[in-house]
Each structure stands twice: as C-alpha cells, then as structure tokens.
Amino acid sequence: MSLTIKLQLASHLNLNHHHANKITHNTFSNYNPKIRPKPIYSSNPLIITTCKVKPRMQVTTVIKSSLIDPDGGALVDLLVPESQRGSKTLEAESLPKVQLTRIDLEWVHVIGEGWASPLKGFMREDEYLQSLHFNSLRMKDGSVVNMSLPIVLSIDDETKERIGSSSHVGLIGPDGDYVAILRSIEIYKHHKEERIARTWGTTAPGLPYVEEVITPAGNWLIGGDLELLKPIKYNDGLDNYRLSPKQLREEFDRREADAVFAFQLRNPVHNGHALLMNDTRKRLLEMGYKNPILLLHPLGGFTKADDVPLDVRMEQHSKVLEDGVLDPETTIVAIFPSPMHYAGPTEVQWHAKARINAGANFYIVGRDPAGMGHPTEKRDLYDPDHGKKVLSMAPGLEKLNILPFRVAAYDTKDNKMAFFDPTRSKDFLFISGTKMRAYAKSGENPPEGFMCPSGWKVLVKYYESLQVEEASQQPVLSA
C-alpha cells in the first residue's frame, strides 16, 4: 500500500520547537512489550496509557485542542443539556414523527457530536447543492469548509403528507425511542440519479451504499437543525470506544500531544500498516515533534457485506496492541461512527475533514482510499492515485499538505513487511485484502511476518464461524 500523510500547516500553531535539532533515534527501540493494555472490551481507551501527564486547566468553554481548530472555528455539539432532556422528549412525542433506519441513526450520531462541523443538522437544499456540486460549504463570512458528501435524511410521500405544515419533527430510532428533534425543517425533492452520479461518478448497479440506502429511500429529503435528546449508544460492547471529537481533543490535550496522526481503516491491521504508522511517528520525531500520538480510527458505521465486521476488527486491533506491534502508550484506539460510501476521492475528503474536527493535524491516506472494485467490471472503480491528489487540491482543505510514502509489501527474503525496493521487485509479494480474506477463509496461514499471530487467529476464528453458519443453513437432503 502506498501511503501519504496530510500535514496541517495552520498559521496559528506554535511551531518554534519544531525547529529543534532532529531526533534521529526511534523511540520504539525503548518500548517494553510486556507493558500491555487491558483487553479491549473491558477497558476505557482513554486510560490505556501508562505515561504520566499533567492535567490542563480549563480556561474556555469553546471545545478545541491546541493543535488545530475545527471547521467553522468551534466544534458543534448538539446534545441537549441533561436538565432539558425530559421536556424536550415530551415535545418530540407531540410532533410529527420521522422513522430512522440504522444508517440514519449513524448520521444523527455523526452530526450530533460535531464530526461534520460546522453542519448543525441534516442538510437543507442550499447546503445539499453546495455539497453535491462543489464538495464544500460557504460560510457567512465568505470562508469555505470542505463537505464532500451530502449528509441528508430521506422521507417517503406518506411521511411528507403526515408532516404537513409543521416546522419541527421528532426523530425515532430503530428501537422505537425518540433520539432527536429536527427544527425549522425544509422538505425538497430527492433527485436520486443525480446524487448517485455526482457522488460516485457512475450509476452502475451494485454500489453497496446506493443499494442499501438510496435505492429504497423516499422521494423527498428533509433538512433542519438537529437537537440530540440523548447520547447515541449501540449497546454492542464497543460504546466506550466511540469517542466524540470533544473527548478526543480533551485526551490529546491531556497527553500533551504536539502532533496527532490519524489512520482510518475498515480492514484488520497487518504488519504493513504497522510499519507505515511506526515510520510516520519516527519521521515526526525526526522533524522535531516531541510527543506524536497515533489515532487508530477504524470506521464503525455501515460497511459492505464482505468486509470484516467491526467487533472482529476491534478484537484484532486489540491483539496488535497487546503484542506490541503498535505502542499502546502512544496510540489511541477509537471508533469513527460514519457509514462508508465507497466513493473514492469524493469520500476521502470527508474522512480527512472529520479527523480535523477530531483534533488530528496529520492524516495518513493510502492507495485508492475509500475505493472498491468496479461493481460490474474487473477493474478498480477509481484511479488509485487520485485520492491523495484530490486531497491536495480540495476546497476547504488547503491548509493540509501531502508527504508521500513508499509502498509497503511483503519481503520474501527477510520474511517481513518492508518498503518496496524496485531494484529487487521479484523479492516482494503484494497481499491484497481479497487475498488476506482468502487465506483466512481456507485456514491457510499467510507468510510469516505478515500479521501478528494472535491477530491472525481472530480472523481465522471469524471465518470458521461463518463456514459453520453457512453449513447449518444448507438444506438436508433425504435419502
């Protein structure tokens, strides 16, 4: 995988210490692998570190960290104060109702916690058109923020008629509970074909998010200002990993991080990923940073059916930390709640923008980010280099700069993941995600050094369980 880093160059940062002498040693050489975090399902990721940090004084109510301002200058937090939740819930019960799907609820989560700052609700038509056509929103002061994906809520004809002339609606979650109020609403036409064509660059059948969300969606979109009645919880054993941008910024400050580099993934972590993340930290140290922190940030919303489920990925990530492949003292593991579009260069802008709002000033972007195979042809849907090129030109992301990385592959001579050396290309093996899944499904071990053994066992166990489930569903033929 060929990776690049996005470097925040905001003028408000204090960069004096970055001109210090370069640090040439790798601090991982001093890491003790016997110091391990507690199991992932029973620990709070905010306390996996054993290092001592000084508490910071709270001098302002504006939520920001010392590294980078959120889009719009202040982080959006739409959760109703606890003292008002009872009365607001009663109000929601009196309003016309809009039923949310699971993926709608994920978007409520995203908006409510400020991942999409400065967006304060589902998009009204002017915001939707700006996002769809310009990949950005223009603020009242004339500044531009990136917003490459439309964040919208659809309704059908019956719901539109039921809402009538009401200015506000109550949003009901998949479990039947009231989760939010949408105020000062605007209802407008849902032009599905245009939305699909402009977001994905194709209307070919087989796009996972389109088939799951847009095709069955209603013919209308409803926008408005969101009031979140309570924190979004999924009760799946992983809620303590769903850290909001506010929580992440507070933790970066608590650890006195002077650089935060985010790595998003929707696949298990192999040693090639780890090589790139560790090398990123080494480079940041050599640039003069003293305490770079890795935000390992797996996507936790909707993913396509053949992706490894979130709970399995999180368990696998836990093994990577327990085995010391990544340093738990300089790593924060958290879940990014956004659904996945598989919209390539359009979507990677959203991924980068959301991490800015979370307080990360570096963003690692890989080959063909947010991409997938063409649904009807045997080729990639997007050019694998376009994602990183688009990020360097995207409106609202001008403050970010790209540092290129070399390709990582499996070195058959040294039996480990290493940076690709074109002078001996025959010695390197490229193991794709498809190949990795094929290994796990067949029970065949990958080459030694590809992934930590305990992490690999998690994947094998998962695919074995799938095979058992599939076998149990086969019809029994009578003699």
Side-chain angles (χ1 to χ4, degrees), residues 75 87 101 146 258 267 372:
L75 189 64
S87 61
T101 67
N146 192 269
D258 58 355
N267 290 307
M372 58 173 281

Side-chain angles (χ1 to χ4, degrees), residues 29-298:
S29 62
N30 298 322
Y31 171 60
N32 182 356
K34 293 182 180 179
I35 301 175
R36 295 179 179 175
K38 295 178 181 179
I40 198 164
Y41 295 113
S42 62
S43 64
N44 187 317
L46 292 179
I47 57 173
I48 64 172
T49 179
T50 59
C51 62
K52 296 181 180 179
V53 295
K54 298 178 181 179
R56 285 180 177 258
M57 296 292 291
Q58 296 296 320
V59 296
T60 177
T61 58
V62 176
I63 304 165
K64 59 174 68 175
S65 76
S66 58
L67 300 178
I68 184 172
D69 285 337
D71 279 348
L75 189 64
V76 169
D77 184 353
L78 301 177
L79 182 62
V80 170
E82 194 165 359
S83 61
Q84 299 178 24
R85 291 177 193 172
S87 61
K88 295 280 188 181
T89 300
L90 287 175
E91 181 187 0
E93 293 173 354
S94 70
L95 296 172
K97 301 168 181 59
V98 173
Q99 180 67 50
L100 302 177
T101 67
R102 163 75 183 222
I103 296 175
D104 292 334
L105 184 66
E106 291 169 357
W107 283 120
V108 169
H109 188 173
V110 165
I111 299 167
E113 289 188 342
W115 296 98
S117 294
L119 193 68
K120 295 182 179 180
F122 285 104
M123 291 178 175
R124 297 183 177 90
E125 190 173 31
D126 61 342
E127 296 167 322
Y128 170 72
L129 291 174
Q130 288 182 71
S131 173
L132 192 66
H133 291 269
F134 309 134
N135 287 355
S136 60
L137 299 178
R138 185 168 296 279
M139 307 295 290
K140 291 182 179 179
D141 64 2
S143 63
V144 171
V145 297
N146 192 269
M147 194 68 72
S148 63
L149 289 183
I151 300 180
V152 293
L153 178 62
S154 68
I155 57 173
D156 57 20
D157 294 347
E158 181 182 345
T159 302
K160 179 178 181 292
E161 183 176 346
R162 189 168 61 247
I163 293 171
S165 61
S166 177
S167 299
H168 319 304
V169 296
L171 304 184
I172 302 178
D175 296 330
D177 53 337
Y178 284 87
V179 297
I181 295 174
L182 199 63
R183 295 196 180 278
S184 303
I185 62 171
E186 178 185 353
I187 297 175
Y188 54 101
K189 191 69 177 176
H190 187 188
H191 296 285
K192 296 183 183 181
E193 185 177 18
E194 180 188 25
R195 179 183 173 191
I196 295 166
R198 295 199 69 91
T199 302
W200 282 269
T202 180
T203 56
L207 298 169
Y209 190 89
V210 171
E211 292 194 342
E212 184 72 22
V213 177
I214 299 180
T215 299
N219 295 321
W220 305 93
L221 298 176
I222 180 170
D225 299 325
L226 190 73
E227 288 185 357
L228 191 59
L229 299 178
K230 58 183 179 179
I232 302 297
K233 301 294 181 184
Y234 301 85
N235 301 313
D236 56 359
L238 298 174
D239 281 330
N240 61 325
Y241 282 89
R242 293 182 173 93
L243 305 181
S244 69
K246 175 182 176 181
Q247 290 173 308
L248 287 168
R249 284 174 172 270
E250 290 174 345
E251 180 63 8
F252 299 149
D253 280 352
R254 191 185 72 82
R255 295 195 187 198
E256 297 185 337
D258 58 355
V260 175
F261 56 110
F263 187 83
Q264 173 178 293
L265 67 169
R266 67 176 195 269
N267 290 307
V269 175
H270 57 63
N271 289 350
H273 296 138
L275 171 68
L276 292 157
M277 286 183 272
N278 289 340
D279 190 69
T280 298
R281 187 170 192 275
K282 178 181 177 182
R283 290 182 177 220
L284 290 173
L285 289 168
E286 290 173 347
M287 289 167 62
Y289 291 92
K290 304 298 183 183
N291 189 28
I293 296 294
L294 166 64
L295 173 59
L296 184 62
H297 216 198

Side-chain angles (χ1 to χ4, degrees), residues 389-411:
K389 291 180 179 179
V390 166
L391 279 179
S392 70
M393 301 179 286
L397 298 180
E398 293 88 355
K399 56 190 174 184
L400 300 175
N401 188 36
I402 291 178
L403 287 172
F405 255 111
R406 291 171 290 166
V407 177
Y410 185 77
D411 189 336

Side-chain angles (χ1 to χ4, degrees), residues 305-319:
D306 62 346
D307 280 352
V308 178
L310 177 63
D311 61 335
V312 178
R313 286 184 278 132
M314 292 299 288
E315 185 178 0
Q316 194 269 346
H317 298 347
S318 171
K319 300 302 182 184

Side-chain angles (χ1 to χ4, degrees), residues 457-475:
K457 288 179 181 178
V458 171
L459 297 185
V460 171
K461 181 179 178 181
Y462 163 66
Y463 282 109
E464 285 178 347
S465 71
L466 282 187
Q467 291 172 350
V468 171
E469 182 180 348
E470 290 171 359
S472 68
Q473 294 175 354
Q474 294 295 324

Side-chain angles (χ1 to χ4, degrees), residues 326-357:
L326 294 173
D327 185 348
E329 294 192 10
T330 58
T331 302
I332 294 174
V333 182
I335 294 172
F336 177 45
S338 175
M340 188 75 191
H341 277 59
Y342 305 90
T346 298
E347 185 172 18
V348 74
Q349 298 173 64
W350 158 242
H351 293 165
K353 175 233 173 53
R355 277 28 181 260
I356 290 174
N357 284 331

